[in-house]
Amino acid sequence: MENNLDRVMEEICLDPAVLGCLFADQQGLCIGSKGQASNETSGYITAIANQVAKLEPNSKMPVVTLENENQICMIQKADTITGAIYKKL
Amino acid sequence: MGCCWSLLCKDDNSSQNGEPNERTHLLVDPISNNIHIQRVSSENLLSRNSNDAPKKTDEQSALTRILQETATNVIDVAAIDSHNLQQQEYIERVKMYNIKINQVLAGNKGALANSLKSCLLEDVPQPEKILSGDLLNREDRHLMTSSLLAAVSAINDIRVDHKEDLVVPFGLGLNS
Protein backbone atom coordinates (compact mmCIF):
# COMPACT_ATOMS: atom_id res chain seq x y z
CA MET A 1 0.00 0.00 0.00
CA GLU A 2 2.38 2.70 1.15
CA ASN A 3 5.48 0.63 0.41
CA ASN A 4 6.42 2.92 -2.44
CA LEU A 5 6.34 5.97 -0.20
CA ASP A 6 8.39 4.17 2.43
CA ARG A 7 10.95 3.31 -0.18
CA VAL A 8 11.11 6.89 -1.43
CA MET A 9 11.61 8.18 2.10
CA GLU A 10 14.32 5.63 2.75
CA GLU A 11 16.10 6.73 -0.40
CA ILE A 12 15.92 10.36 0.70
CA CYS A 13 17.39 9.49 4.08
CA LEU A 14 20.24 7.56 2.48
CA ASP A 15 22.02 10.86 2.00
CA PRO A 16 24.18 11.23 5.14
CA ALA A 17 23.41 14.95 5.35
CA VAL A 18 19.65 14.35 5.48
CA LEU A 19 18.29 14.19 9.01
CA GLY A 20 14.71 13.40 8.17
CA CYS A 21 11.81 13.97 5.82
CA LEU A 22 8.09 14.40 6.06
CA PHE A 23 5.16 14.45 3.66
CA ALA A 24 1.76 15.87 4.39
CA ASP A 25 -1.53 16.03 2.54
CA GLN A 26 -3.69 18.99 1.60
CA GLN A 27 -5.15 19.27 5.10
CA GLY A 28 -1.74 19.20 6.74
CA LEU A 29 -2.12 15.64 7.92
CA CYS A 30 1.03 13.58 7.94
CA ILE A 31 1.22 10.92 5.24
CA GLY A 32 4.64 9.70 6.21
CA SER A 33 7.76 10.75 8.06
CA LYS A 34 11.19 9.34 8.59
CA GLY A 35 14.22 10.29 10.67
CA GLN A 36 14.24 13.43 12.77
CA ALA A 37 10.96 14.79 11.49
CA SER A 38 8.11 14.97 13.92
CA ASN A 39 4.77 14.17 12.35
CA GLU A 40 3.26 16.82 14.63
CA THR A 41 4.86 19.51 12.49
CA SER A 42 3.07 18.48 9.31
CA GLY A 43 0.32 21.06 9.82
CA TYR A 44 2.78 23.92 10.22
CA ILE A 45 4.78 22.80 7.20
CA THR A 46 1.67 22.71 5.03
CA ALA A 47 0.55 26.09 6.32
CA ILE A 48 3.94 27.67 5.57
CA ALA A 49 3.97 26.24 2.05
CA ASN A 50 0.42 27.45 1.42
CA GLN A 51 1.15 30.96 2.65
CA VAL A 52 4.35 31.27 0.64
CA ALA A 53 2.59 30.03 -2.47
CA LYS A 54 0.27 33.03 -2.22
CA LEU A 55 3.16 35.50 -2.59
CA GLU A 56 3.59 34.80 -6.29
CA PRO A 57 0.67 32.73 -7.44
CA ASN A 58 1.76 32.69 -11.09
CA SER A 59 5.27 31.34 -10.60
CA LYS A 60 6.47 27.84 -9.84
CA MET A 61 6.08 26.48 -6.37
CA PRO A 62 8.98 27.89 -4.37
CA VAL A 63 11.29 26.01 -2.04
CA VAL A 64 11.04 27.52 1.43
CA THR A 65 14.05 27.15 3.65
CA LEU A 66 14.12 27.59 7.39
CA GLU A 67 17.61 27.70 8.71
CA ASN A 68 19.44 27.81 12.02
CA GLU A 69 23.10 27.34 12.94
CA ASN A 70 23.27 23.63 12.26
CA GLN A 71 20.13 22.62 10.41
CA ILE A 72 18.13 23.54 7.39
CA CYS A 73 14.54 22.64 6.67
CA MET A 74 13.37 22.76 3.05
CA ILE A 75 9.69 22.88 2.33
CA GLN A 76 8.02 22.53 -1.05
CA LYS A 77 4.54 21.91 -2.27
CA ALA A 78 3.47 19.95 -5.32
CA ASP A 79 -0.21 19.57 -6.15
CA THR A 80 -1.82 18.43 -2.96
CA ILE A 81 1.32 17.10 -1.29
CA THR A 82 3.71 19.14 0.81
CA GLY A 83 7.16 17.78 1.52
CA ALA A 84 9.84 18.80 3.99
CA ILE A 85 13.44 17.66 4.21
CA TYR A 86 15.68 18.37 7.20
CA LYS A 87 19.37 18.58 6.47
CA LYS A 88 22.57 19.18 8.39
CA LEU A 89 24.45 22.30 7.39
CA MET B 1 7.98 61.42 37.01
CA GLY B 2 5.18 63.92 36.91
CA CYS B 3 1.73 63.00 35.90
CA CYS B 4 1.12 63.17 32.19
CA TRP B 5 -2.59 62.68 32.55
CA SER B 6 -2.92 65.83 34.47
CA LEU B 7 -6.50 66.62 33.49
CA LEU B 8 -7.81 63.60 35.30
CA CYS B 9 -5.45 63.85 38.20
CA LYS B 10 -6.85 67.00 39.72
CA ASP B 11 -9.38 65.21 41.88
CA ASP B 12 -6.84 62.72 43.12
CA ASN B 13 -4.46 65.49 43.97
CA SER B 14 -6.84 67.36 46.13
CA SER B 15 -7.82 64.25 48.02
CA GLN B 16 -4.23 63.54 48.99
CA ASN B 17 -3.93 66.64 51.22
CA GLY B 18 -1.01 67.98 49.22
CA GLU B 19 1.16 65.03 50.10
CA PRO B 20 3.42 64.15 47.16
CA ASN B 21 2.60 60.88 45.45
CA GLU B 22 2.94 59.43 41.96
CA ARG B 23 0.13 61.67 40.72
CA THR B 24 1.54 64.89 42.06
CA HIS B 25 2.38 67.47 39.40
CA LEU B 26 6.02 68.41 39.28
CA LEU B 27 5.05 71.84 38.03
CA VAL B 28 2.19 73.53 39.77
CA ASP B 29 -0.48 74.98 37.52
CA PRO B 30 1.45 78.03 36.24
CA ILE B 31 -1.40 80.23 35.11
CA SER B 32 -3.39 80.34 38.32
CA ASN B 33 -0.23 80.92 40.36
CA ASN B 34 1.33 83.60 38.23
CA ILE B 35 -1.73 85.75 37.84
CA HIS B 36 -1.71 86.36 41.54
CA ILE B 37 1.96 87.32 41.66
CA GLN B 38 1.82 89.59 38.67
CA ARG B 39 -1.37 91.26 39.73
CA VAL B 40 0.36 92.54 42.80
CA SER B 41 3.23 93.94 40.78
CA SER B 42 0.91 95.64 38.31
CA GLU B 43 -1.03 97.26 41.13
CA ASN B 44 2.22 98.58 42.51
CA LEU B 45 3.01 99.93 39.11
CA LEU B 46 -0.35 101.70 38.93
CA SER B 47 -0.05 103.27 42.36
CA ARG B 48 3.45 104.46 41.64
CA ASN B 49 2.33 106.25 38.49
CA SER B 50 -0.95 107.59 39.88
CA ASN B 51 0.50 111.11 40.27
CA ASP B 52 1.11 111.41 36.56
CA ALA B 53 -1.11 113.29 34.17
CA PRO B 54 -4.56 111.75 33.46
CA LYS B 55 -3.85 111.55 29.73
CA LYS B 56 -1.27 108.94 30.51
CA THR B 57 -3.86 106.71 32.16
CA ASP B 58 -4.97 105.08 28.94
CA GLU B 59 -1.40 104.39 28.00
CA GLN B 60 -0.79 103.04 31.46
CA SER B 61 -3.74 100.74 31.45
CA ALA B 62 -2.68 99.43 28.06
CA LEU B 63 0.79 98.75 29.39
CA THR B 64 -0.66 97.07 32.45
CA ARG B 65 -2.82 94.90 30.25
CA ILE B 66 0.18 93.89 28.16
CA LEU B 67 2.17 93.13 31.29
CA GLN B 68 -0.63 91.07 32.69
CA GLU B 69 -1.13 89.15 29.47
CA THR B 70 2.58 88.44 29.27
CA ALA B 71 2.64 87.35 32.87
CA THR B 72 -0.16 84.85 32.35
CA ASN B 73 1.68 83.32 29.41
CA VAL B 74 5.04 82.95 31.11
CA ILE B 75 5.86 80.00 33.32
CA ASP B 76 8.42 81.10 35.86
CA VAL B 77 9.86 77.74 36.79
CA ALA B 78 12.21 79.12 39.40
CA ALA B 79 9.46 80.95 41.23
CA ILE B 80 7.31 77.87 41.56
CA ASP B 81 7.97 76.03 44.75
CA SER B 82 7.93 72.55 43.26
CA HIS B 83 8.57 69.41 45.17
CA ASN B 84 12.09 68.32 44.28
CA LEU B 85 12.70 64.60 44.15
CA GLN B 86 15.66 63.32 46.09
CA GLN B 87 17.66 60.25 45.12
CA GLN B 88 16.10 58.21 47.89
CA GLU B 89 12.62 59.15 46.73
CA TYR B 90 13.41 58.05 43.18
CA ILE B 91 14.40 54.62 44.45
CA GLU B 92 11.32 54.40 46.62
CA ARG B 93 9.09 55.32 43.71
CA VAL B 94 10.78 52.81 41.43
CA LYS B 95 10.08 50.12 44.01
CA MET B 96 6.50 51.26 44.40
CA TYR B 97 5.84 51.32 40.65
CA ASN B 98 7.40 47.89 40.24
CA ILE B 99 5.13 46.51 42.91
CA LYS B 100 2.11 48.06 41.18
CA ILE B 101 3.18 46.66 37.79
CA ASN B 102 3.53 43.21 39.29
CA GLN B 103 0.11 43.50 40.83
CA VAL B 104 -1.40 44.36 37.47
CA LEU B 105 0.55 41.59 35.77
CA ALA B 106 -0.64 39.06 38.34
CA GLY B 107 -4.22 40.21 37.83
CA ASN B 108 -4.16 39.93 34.04
CA LYS B 109 -1.82 36.98 33.74
CA GLY B 110 -3.96 34.96 31.35
CA ALA B 111 -4.70 37.82 28.98
CA LEU B 112 -1.09 39.02 28.86
CA ALA B 113 0.30 35.54 28.31
CA ASN B 114 -2.02 35.07 25.35
CA SER B 115 -1.00 38.34 23.76
CA LEU B 116 2.68 37.47 24.16
CA LYS B 117 2.20 34.02 22.68
CA SER B 118 0.82 35.49 19.46
CA CYS B 119 4.27 36.92 18.68
CA LEU B 120 5.58 33.85 16.94
CA LEU B 121 8.35 35.65 15.07
CA GLU B 122 10.91 37.75 16.88
CA ASP B 123 12.59 40.91 15.79
CA VAL B 124 15.77 40.45 13.78
CA PRO B 125 18.47 42.94 14.75
CA GLN B 126 20.34 42.96 11.42
CA PRO B 127 17.99 41.86 8.67
CA GLU B 128 20.38 42.80 5.85
CA LYS B 129 22.82 40.17 7.09
CA ILE B 130 20.25 37.44 6.79
CA LEU B 131 18.71 38.72 3.59
CA SER B 132 22.09 38.84 1.87
CA GLY B 133 22.82 35.23 2.83
CA ASP B 134 23.47 32.50 0.28
CA LEU B 135 20.57 31.08 -1.65
CA LEU B 136 19.70 27.44 -1.52
CA ASN B 137 22.32 25.60 -3.55
CA ARG B 138 21.53 23.63 -6.67
CA GLU B 139 22.00 20.18 -5.13
CA ASP B 140 19.65 20.86 -2.27
CA ARG B 141 17.02 22.24 -4.57
CA HIS B 142 17.37 19.27 -6.83
CA LEU B 143 17.12 16.93 -3.84
CA MET B 144 13.97 18.65 -2.72
CA THR B 145 12.19 18.74 -6.05
CA SER B 146 13.16 15.23 -7.13
CA SER B 147 12.22 13.78 -3.73
CA LEU B 148 8.93 15.54 -3.79
CA LEU B 149 8.09 14.32 -7.28
CA ALA B 150 8.98 10.76 -6.29
CA ALA B 151 6.90 11.08 -3.15
CA VAL B 152 3.92 12.48 -5.04
CA SER B 153 3.95 9.60 -7.50
CA ALA B 154 4.38 7.14 -4.62
CA ILE B 155 1.49 8.68 -2.72
CA ASN B 156 -0.71 8.59 -5.78
CA ASP B 157 0.01 4.87 -5.96
CA ILE B 158 -1.44 4.30 -2.55
CA ARG B 159 -4.42 2.01 -2.92
CA VAL B 160 -6.39 0.06 -0.41
CA ASP B 161 -5.51 -3.61 -0.85
CA HIS B 162 -8.82 -5.33 -0.73
CA LYS B 163 -8.06 -8.68 0.87
CA GLU B 164 -10.97 -9.45 3.14
CA ASP B 165 -14.70 -8.92 3.03
CA LEU B 166 -15.69 -5.45 4.10
CA VAL B 167 -18.75 -6.79 5.92
CA VAL B 168 -17.95 -9.56 8.35
CA PRO B 169 -20.69 -11.68 9.89
CA PHE B 170 -20.08 -11.24 13.59
CA GLY B 171 -21.20 -13.68 16.27
CA LEU B 172 -23.68 -15.43 13.96
CA GLY B 173 -22.15 -18.82 14.64
CA LEU B 174 -23.11 -18.68 18.34
CA ASN B 175 -26.81 -18.12 17.72
CA SER B 176 -27.29 -20.95 15.30
Side-chain angles (χ1 to χ4, degrees):
Chain A
M1 200 167 111
E2 66 268 23
N3 294 339
N4 278 347
L5 180 63
D6 283 337
R7 205 169 51 246
V8 167
M9 289 197 295
E10 270 165 30
E11 277 168 18
I12 296 167
C13 291
L14 279 180
D15 187 334
V18 171
L19 296 166
C21 63
L22 181 147
F23 294 97
D25 73 355
Q26 214 166 359
Q27 279 87 38
L29 300 171
C30 185
I31 299 170
S33 69
K34 207 165 196 67
Q36 292 178 27
S38 165
N39 51 20
E40 289 173 11
T41 58
S42 62
Y44 297 110
I45 286 166
T46 309
I48 289 169
N50 285 337
Q51 292 297 326
V52 172
K54 286 179 194 165
L55 290 176
E56 286 190 39
N58 297 324
S59 52
K60 273 201 306 183
M61 278 295 175
V63 180
V64 185
T65 58
L66 305 172
E67 199 176 312
N68 67 6
E69 290 88 23
N70 43 35
Q71 266 189 44
I72 182 169
C73 171
M74 296 178 285
I75 300 171
Q76 197 180 18
K77 199 177 157 185
D79 299 333
T80 59
I81 309 298
T82 308
I85 296 179
Y86 296 78
K87 262 189 92 174
K88 273 187 282 191
L89 270 181
Chain B
M1 293 254 258
C3 182
C4 305
W5 210 7
S6 53
L7 275 176
L8 293 173
C9 288
K10 279 178 180 167
D11 296 339
D12 291 343
N13 228 0
S14 56
S15 65
Q16 296 283 341
N17 300 325
E19 213 171 279
N21 64 346
E22 79 275 6
R23 289 174 190 256
T24 314
H25 302 247
L26 285 183
L27 294 177
V28 190
D29 191 0
I31 295 168
S32 57
N33 271 11
N34 274 11
I35 283 175
H36 180 68
I37 298 165
Q38 293 299 330
R39 201 170 278 164
V40 175
S41 66
S42 58
E43 275 167 12
N44 285 347
L45 223 114
L46 270 175
S47 59
R48 211 192 308 154
N49 297 322
S50 55
N51 304 336
D52 291 357
K55 67 171 182 177
K56 276 192 175 179
T57 321
D58 288 349
E59 210 177 309
Q60 201 59 56
S61 64
L63 177 65
T64 316
R65 206 176 59 244
I66 292 166
L67 268 174
Q68 210 160 352
E69 272 173 20
T70 317
T72 53
N73 291 329
V74 169
I75 303 173
D76 188 359
V77 178
I80 298 167
D81 182 27
S82 65
H83 178 74
N84 290 321
L85 284 176
Q86 300 302 314
Q87 188 64 30
Q88 186 60 34
E89 280 178 90
Y90 272 122
I91 296 164
E92 275 174 21
R93 285 194 183 193
V94 166
K95 277 183 193 166
M96 200 170 71
Y97 294 157
N98 279 332
I99 289 167
K100 288 201 173 181
I101 287 168
N102 283 330
Q103 280 171 356
V104 173
L105 282 177
N108 304 333
K109 210 171 188 179
L112 283 169
N114 281 341
S115 64
L116 289 175
K117 258 184 197 170
S118 65
C119 304
L120 187 67
L121 299 176
E122 286 174 14
D123 188 27
V124 178
Q126 284 169 308
E128 63 276 8
K129 208 173 170 182
I130 292 167
L131 291 174
S132 62
D134 293 335
L135 292 172
L136 191 65
N137 62 40
R138 191 183 288 267
E139 292 91 63
D140 283 347
R141 201 164 61 224
H142 178 69
L143 170 75
M144 186 70 232
T145 46
S146 61
S147 311
L148 190 64
L149 283 178
V152 167
S153 65
I155 287 162
N156 288 335
D157 283 347
I158 292 179
R159 294 278 182 276
V160 176
D161 291 340
H162 179 59
K163 286 175 185 166
E164 293 168 13
D165 290 337
L166 287 175
V167 180
V168 181
F170 196 69
L172 285 175
L174 287 174
N175 292 337
S176 60

